[in-house]
Amino acid sequence: MWSRTSYTLRYFSKDKLFSSNKHIVRLQRRKASSGSIQKADLDDKEITQTSQSGEYIQKALKPKTNDPFVKNLFLGNFDKDALIYPELTKEQLDDINQLVQPIERFFDEVDSKTIDEKAKIPDDVLQQLKDLGLFGQQIPEEYGGLGLNATEFARLAEITALDGSISVTLAAHQSIGLKGILIAGTESQKQKYLPKLATGEHVAAFCLTEPSSGSDAASIQTRATLSEDGKTFHLNGGKIWISNGGIADVFTVFAKTEIEKDGEKVDKVTAFIVEREFGGVTNGKPEDKLGIRGSNTCEVHFDNTPVPIENVIGEVGGGFKVAMNILNSGRFSMGSSGAGVLKKMMGLVAEHATTRAQFGQYLSEFPLIKEKFARLAITTYVMESMAYLTAGTLDAYEQPDLSLEAAIVKIFSSEGCWVCANECLQILGGLGYMKDYPYERLLRDGRILMIFEGTNEILRMFVALQGCQHAGKQLKDLVKKLRNPLANPGLFFGTLKKRMMSDPLKPALKLHLDEEVHPSLKMYLALFSCFPIDLDD
Amino acid sequence: MFRYLFMLAQETTFRSRSLDKMKSILDNCGFSYLWSFQNTSPNIKSIIKQRLEDQFTQSWSGKCNFIDDLSITIKIKVVVIRAPINSPGSKVKMSALRVLVGCKRVIDYAVKIRVKPDKTGVVTDGVKHSMNPFDEIAIEEAVRLKEKKIASEVIAVSCGPKQCQETLRTALAMGADRAIHVNIDPKDYENLQPIHVSKFLAKIAQDEKADIVIVGKQAIDDDCNQTGQMTAALLDWPQATFASKVEKNNGDLTVIREIDGGLETIKVKLPAVLTADLRLNEPRYATLPNIMKAKKKPMASKTPADLGVDVTSRLEIVSVEDPPVREAGQKVESVEDLVTKLKDAGLV
């Protein structure tokens, strides 16, 4: 709840139209000066003039791609512009609030307890979700969807997350199930599949995991063989733990195909759009799970399923990249959905703590309980902030590179959810353990977050390896030039000088913090930057 | 006398129109309890007392201080009683009805209301607002009339500050075709009374050539329950208040009204003013695709001056206070104790 307040101040403050523009203009300026902006035909002056009309800037001047902040940390660069929090205009804010209202009301009435007990989302609830338009949130309007941007999507996720089963059903459908078509599909694939998926007439599922391959996605056994006429693939194999597996009509399936590379025949992963109608698609009974029990998870088998060659997503043999892109693009919303649940939970727990008395005082007066609440608020606030920061940056660029940021959001939020839900149960004591109350269900539902969409261990490796790879590419270039000092004397001596002058224990502060503070503090910061504080003193 | 009347009513052979009329007068005055319970309940006295308190002390007596309002009140009463029997008829189009719906922006029903420290009103800044739930029902009914092809166009109207446009957007998302926002200065809005809103609605109804005006029976913020009635009076149209079912029969509307102790079926000629009661329908959720589409629907903005309505208030809010806190109960040892306590308090 506290996080909500500060968040309201920060993010949903109403008269920030100007500052929002300022942010974009600043971004623009930076890009323009660093030369990485694609539409470089606009100089600073022009940008300042057009900043009067924010819309123009956002639509027409969306820069192509960003300098990846986390990746650049691996090079020792801290991009100060990442400290500017992306804000919405008043109009965008009103639009989002308008969308939020009916969904909030709908979720007030969803009976999560029964969904959990019966392990099924009732058909009428599912139909209402489809009618509300929640199955096509990120599908562009021309294909019958809502065309929400990342920020709007994240905001709605805060509410849909209140029921874990519904949230996972929706996520399996649109965050991964149909994402392949959305980001890598051809125009005709989009036109054929997206309109029906947007209305929820068709439900989508994402089929990657197999009995023998989970995190190691490249080791899948399902095989697609091309027919002799070269027009159809025949799909054989079994997939397990497929969310929506029993209710889906359209599957994004990953299978090994034989392709020729340098004269040799090698097996590569390819992504396919498979309709249940194609035949040979069967599914097992829904799995009985610890949490998110209402979501439909089951085995899906393909027995000689014919898939026309037009239904390949991306290139034949390019499926692994498609899978990674799909998974990378859906993760950021886990921060807001986690925060949504935690905010709700904290409200309920705070009520308990302020009314339950032991030893003659309310629980909320005990220092140990207070500390728990402080930690809850901090974690929730961080989760929410990082989710909307990532979403806001995603919206500001045409092809944003935020895979590490999204992975970090997922790791932090899933673990934050688990720790916080656990602490909430601890504050509640015995009450939290009872099935009559929602808390134990929220704890069980939240456990899956650390496992699916890439386990947190895999994602940690991903962050480390991707970061190192990014740094490696850049440094490789530098090393190559340094090996030949005669061709690049300037660079050689420059680097040498830098190495000689700098003390690795006292790195110079080059963030120019003095530009950011109140003029009265400028002098002190200049001192601070020039003479790094020696911690030994 | 009541007993006699009741017996008459029971005897179907004697059932006459004047008797029904009598009953409807009683209903409209809030005395239906009396009618239904007259020979069962031994406690008529307390019921009368209760009713008197409910109906008059609370809602009317406040207005009695102002002769202006009182005269309107009387007028309303008269119209209520007469409307079903002889409404001023006018030319009725057989199809393509135009429906005007009033929707008020109020503090959300789930919000805990806080009184401002200076007691001039309640805190509205930074408080979640939404459409008055009864107006949602009104919009829903209008949209359903359109879906049944009875109505051709649904126009939503909201009077108030700029934020009312959000409420209108919700109405558009629910299925209204276009919206009219009567933009009122926030300062004037603080003292805006149902009489002013009725004048706006009446003027717009005439300008837009509306055939039916539907409003919620009351707003959940001030609980006035006056706007619909006053609008009907100003337009000199028949009214069907507290509607729980609306059907169209050959140019007339058959409306089932919720009255104390039962339901009343009346027939009104068009054009007419309806006010929606809770059980008229269950409003739909505005779906997200419709919210997106609503952005493109037309919304006109008008000022009180455009409509020729003087919004100066004839009321002055003296003080707004929290309801008294309920006192704690007492536990008694025995029945005797209870009786003694009740006697001491003069309740038995």
Side-chain angles (χ1 to χ4, degrees):
Chain A
M1 293 293 116
W2 299 307
S3 126
R4 164 74 90 187
T5 330
S6 26
Y7 172 59
T8 316
L9 285 173
R10 184 169 178 188
Y11 196 69
F12 279 173
S13 55
K14 286 190 171 166
D15 309 310
K16 292 287 178 168
L17 184 66
F18 178 69
S19 68
S20 160
N21 279 337
K22 210 167 80 184
H23 164 62
I24 292 155
V25 171
R26 289 192 62 164
L27 272 177
Q28 293 294 326
R29 280 203 183 127
R30 188 168 63 86
K31 298 295 159 206
S33 57
S34 69
S36 69
I37 183 168
Q38 297 292 309
K39 287 161 185 154
D41 50 332
L42 278 155
D43 59 20
D44 271 11
K45 204 195 257 172
E46 224 171 314
I47 289 163
T48 323
Q49 279 165 355
T50 50
S51 72
Q52 300 299 325
S53 56
E55 208 181 328
Y56 171 54
I57 280 195
Q58 279 171 348
K59 280 189 181 150
L61 294 180
K62 219 169 169 177
K64 184 101 176 167
T65 186
N66 56 325
D67 288 339
F69 174 74
V70 176
K71 280 184 181 174
N72 282 343
L73 283 181
F74 282 77
L75 285 164
N77 297 334
F78 185 94
D79 186 356
K80 262 193 302 177
D81 282 335
L83 297 174
I84 304 168
Y85 204 87
E87 285 182 68
L88 301 174
T89 63
K90 171 96 171 64
E91 287 74 34
Q92 287 170 321
L93 182 68
D94 287 346
D95 285 353
I96 292 188
N97 285 339
Q98 192 103 53
L99 293 175
V100 162
Q101 273 179 18
I103 302 180
E104 256 176 357
R105 271 175 57 183
F106 177 77
F107 274 84
D108 276 348
E109 287 167 22
V110 169
D111 183 359
S112 299
K113 187 167 184 272
T114 316
I115 292 179
D116 187 62
E117 263 169 23
K118 300 256 162 71
K120 190 178 187 319
I121 302 170
D123 290 338
D124 60 316
V125 174
L126 215 51
Q127 190 53 48
Q128 276 174 298
L129 289 169
K130 290 173 184 176
D131 292 343
L132 273 171
L134 287 174
F135 274 62
Q137 294 179 37
Q138 286 203 292
I139 298 176
E141 279 177 82
E142 62 258 41
Y143 302 114
L146 298 174
L148 301 185
N149 63 24
T151 308
E152 290 164 333
F153 180 71
R155 178 71 183 94
L156 295 195
E158 257 188 62
I159 309 158
T160 54
L162 296 177
D163 184 287
S165 303
I166 292 177
S167 172
V168 168
T169 304
L170 290 175
H173 171 76
Q174 59 196 346
S175 285
I176 48 178
L178 60 80
K179 209 52 166 284
I181 306 176
L182 204 60
I183 59 180
T186 63
E187 186 55 39
S188 60
Q189 285 170 349
K190 286 181 183 174
Q191 273 173 2
K192 186 172 175 198
Y193 290 107
L194 290 182
K196 280 187 178 168
L197 290 167
T199 56
E201 190 184 335
H202 282 174
V203 176
F206 181 80
C207 307
L208 181 65
T209 309
E210 293 184 9
S212 61
S213 75
S215 296
D216 182 8
S219 71
I220 53 172
Q221 302 285 318
T222 303
R223 181 158 283 283
T225 38
L226 195 60
S227 64
E228 280 177 9
D229 60 2
K231 283 183 183 159
T232 321
F233 279 100
H234 287 276
L235 209 59
N236 281 294
K239 300 280 183 184
I240 59 165
W241 304 332
I242 303 305
S243 298
N244 292 353
I247 55 171
D249 308 276
V250 177
F251 301 86
T252 303
V253 185
F254 295 88
K256 279 273 170 74
T257 46
E258 204 170 63
I259 59 160
E260 254 180 54
K261 197 181 171 191
D262 306 328
E264 272 179 69
K265 285 193 172 169
V266 285
D267 281 344
K268 282 273 187 184
V269 180
T270 304
F272 299 93
I273 308 168
V274 182
E275 295 175 40
R276 200 181 276 272
E277 298 284 294
F278 288 167
V281 183
T282 50
N283 61 271
K285 68 171 178 53
E287 306 281 352
D288 197 6
K289 304 184 290 291
L290 173 74
I292 53 162
R293 294 173 50 82
S295 70
N296 178 296
T297 310
C298 54
E299 292 177 19
V300 178
H301 294 280
F302 301 96
D303 181 21
N304 237 357
T305 305
V307 185
I309 197 157
E310 309 89 81
N311 276 22
V312 169
I313 306 177
E315 290 169 17
V316 176
F320 190 75
K321 212 174 151 192
V322 173
M324 292 305 116
N325 282 342
I326 292 172
L327 292 172
N328 284 342
S329 68
R331 290 191 183 115
F332 71 92
S333 68
M334 212 175 275
S336 66
S337 43
V341 176
L342 282 182
K343 278 191 283 189
K344 180 102 179 172
M345 213 165 165
M346 268 173 66
L348 297 167
V349 176
E351 198 184 322
H352 175 79
T354 47
T355 48
R356 165 90 172 171
Q358 289 291 287
F359 305 106
Q361 51 182 333
Y362 291 119
L363 293 192
S364 55
E365 290 163 29
F366 291 97
L368 283 173
I369 301 290
K370 284 184 189 167
E371 194 208 334
K372 283 188 201 303
F373 272 110
R375 287 192 188 283
L376 285 175
I378 292 167
T379 316
T380 313
Y381 179 57
V382 174
M383 277 163 66
E384 198 174 53
S385 303
M386 70 202 294
Y388 284 105
L389 173 65
T390 314
T393 321
L394 272 174
D395 290 335
Y397 299 97
E398 258 177 60
Q399 288 176 330
D401 177 3
L402 286 162
S403 54
L404 294 198
E405 283 82 351
I408 290 169
V409 170
K410 196 263 177 182
I411 298 169
F412 185 87
S413 320
S414 57
E415 284 165 14
C417 270
W418 178 246
V419 172
C420 289
N422 194 23
E423 289 287 23
C424 283
L425 255 73
Q426 196 63 31
I427 297 168
L428 292 160
L431 199 85
Y433 205 66
M434 298 300 141
K435 282 226 170 195
D436 279 343
Y437 297 94
Y439 314 107
E440 59 86 33
R441 190 189 70 241
L442 292 171
L443 182 85
R444 283 187 286 116
D445 285 352
R447 187 61 184 81
I448 190 65
L449 297 176
M450 292 192 276
I451 300 171
F452 69 4
E453 289 206 43
T455 64
N456 283 9
E457 287 67 31
I458 290 292
L459 287 176
R460 284 198 160 86
M461 278 162 61
F462 174 75
V463 172
L465 294 176
Q466 282 276 309
C468 290
Q469 194 185 30
H470 178 77
K473 270 181 198 160
Q474 307 256 328
L475 291 174
K476 209 165 125 192
D477 211 36
L478 182 70
V479 170
K480 206 171 156 189
K481 283 177 183 164
L482 287 180
R483 283 206 177 130
N484 193 353
L486 293 179
N488 309 295
L491 184 77
F492 179 78
F493 288 110
T495 315
L496 201 66
K497 193 181 159 202
K498 223 161 49 187
R499 287 280 160 89
M500 301 283 285
M501 299 293 284
S502 68
D503 180 348
L505 292 174
K506 293 178 187 172
L509 296 176
K510 49 187 179 181
L511 287 174
H512 303 289
L513 291 174
D514 52 325
E515 288 172 9
E516 308 288 328
V517 294
H518 192 269
S520 61
L521 291 171
K522 223 168 179 171
M523 199 177 72
Y524 302 102
L525 258 168
L527 283 169
F528 180 64
S529 300
C530 292
F531 304 104
I533 297 163
D534 199 333
L535 293 175
D536 296 339
D537 292 351
Chain B
M1 187 192 78
F2 285 121
R3 206 169 285 260
Y4 173 67
L5 280 171
F6 184 73
M7 274 158 64
L8 271 180
Q10 296 294 83
E11 294 283 334
T12 40
T13 40
F14 285 104
R15 211 178 166 127
S16 70
R17 198 163 158 181
S18 60
L19 204 61
D20 282 343
K21 196 171 158 185
M22 196 81 153
K23 186 167 178 285
S24 84
I25 295 173
L26 278 171
D27 288 337
N28 285 311
C29 300
F31 282 103
S32 321
Y33 266 103
L34 218 59
W35 185 262
S36 10
F37 291 122
Q38 52 193 320
N39 57 355
T40 48
S41 166
N43 225 345
I44 285 185
K45 201 175 155 191
S46 71
I47 290 175
I48 294 178
K49 210 175 149 192
Q50 178 76 35
R51 283 285 113 190
L52 277 173
E53 275 175 12
D54 282 353
Q55 286 298 313
F56 290 93
T57 332
Q58 283 180 12
S59 76
W60 303 116
S61 71
K63 316 285 177 222
C64 290
N65 301 331
F66 299 87
I67 300 301
D68 186 25
D69 278 9
L70 189 64
S71 65
I72 291 163
T73 312
I74 293 163
K75 207 169 161 191
I76 289 167
K77 277 281 168 189
V78 172
V79 174
V80 168
I81 296 159
R82 270 191 197 157
I85 303 157
N86 47 6
S87 56
S90 69
K91 276 182 194 173
V92 178
K93 281 173 262 171
M94 285 312 283
S95 64
L97 298 177
R98 209 172 279 193
V99 186
L100 190 76
V101 187
C103 40
K104 184 175 184 182
R105 175 177 178 268
V106 296
I107 294 177
D108 191 80
Y109 66 91
V111 172
K112 195 176 181 306
I113 306 290
R114 283 182 300 133
V115 174
K116 280 187 199 164
D118 62 356
K119 296 188 177 179
T120 53
V122 297
V123 178
T124 52
D125 289 341
V127 173
K128 187 183 170 196
H129 283 69
S130 53
M131 196 196 293
N132 175 30
F134 288 110
D135 293 343
E136 264 181 8
I137 297 173
I139 287 273
E140 175 66 31
E141 194 58 25
V143 174
R144 285 189 190 183
L145 286 175
K146 198 187 165 201
E147 284 167 352
K148 284 185 216 153
K149 307 258 188 274
I150 296 171
S152 66
E153 191 180 28
V154 179
I155 309 161
V157 181
S158 188
C159 313
K162 212 176 150 229
Q163 294 94 316
C164 285
Q165 293 188 357
E166 290 165 27
T167 310
L168 286 172
R169 288 277 169 223
T170 312
L172 293 172
M174 284 175 76
D177 295 288
R178 59 195 172 91
I180 298 170
H181 173 222
V182 182
N183 196 350
I184 292 159
D185 191 73
K187 222 173 162 189
D188 290 336
Y189 188 64
E190 276 175 21
N191 277 324
L192 198 76
Q193 294 295 319
I195 181 72
H196 302 128
V197 179
S198 316
K199 283 176 183 167
F200 289 132
L201 286 176
K203 183 76 172 63
I204 293 170
Q206 282 168 339
D207 290 352
E208 301 287 340
K209 299 194 177 58
D211 304 290
I212 307 176
V213 175
I214 311 181
V215 290
K217 71 165 179 178
Q218 66 194 63
I220 59 166
D221 53 357
D222 55 15
D223 275 348
C224 275
N225 187 350
Q226 298 168 7
T227 307
Q229 292 88 328
M230 289 183 181
T231 311
L234 290 166
L235 287 164
D236 204 13
W237 288 2
Q239 64 176 338
T241 48
F242 316 133
S244 71
K245 195 170 182 206
V246 178
E247 270 173 359
K248 190 172 174 251
N249 288 325
N250 309 324
D252 291 340
L253 289 180
T254 309
V255 179
I256 298 181
R257 302 179 61 230
E258 294 208 1
I259 52 177
D260 288 339
L263 297 172
E264 183 188 47
T265 310
I266 57 168
K267 206 158 86 178
V268 284
K269 289 211 170 80
L270 290 175
V273 177
L274 270 58
T275 73
D277 209 327
L278 186 66
R279 279 161 286 269
L280 181 58
N281 57 47
E282 252 184 63
R284 68 192 68 190
Y285 293 104
T287 68
L288 306 189
N290 285 341
I291 292 173
M292 295 292 193
K293 279 178 210 152
K295 281 185 208 163
K296 288 165 195 136
K297 289 184 179 173
M299 189 184 306
S301 195
K302 293 199 164 143
T303 62
D306 292 343
L307 299 166
V309 177
D310 172 24
V311 289
T312 47
S313 176
R314 297 187 178 90
L315 293 181
E316 185 196 344
I317 295 169
V318 182
S319 168
V320 176
E321 315 226 3
D322 275 315
V325 182
R326 202 176 146 182
E327 281 173 38
Q330 278 177 311
K331 274 190 184 170
V332 288
E333 293 289 321
S334 61
V335 177
E336 286 78 34
D337 281 355
L338 177 68
V339 174
T340 331
K341 291 249 180 210
L342 288 174
K343 273 187 181 155
D344 289 348
L347 296 167
V348 189

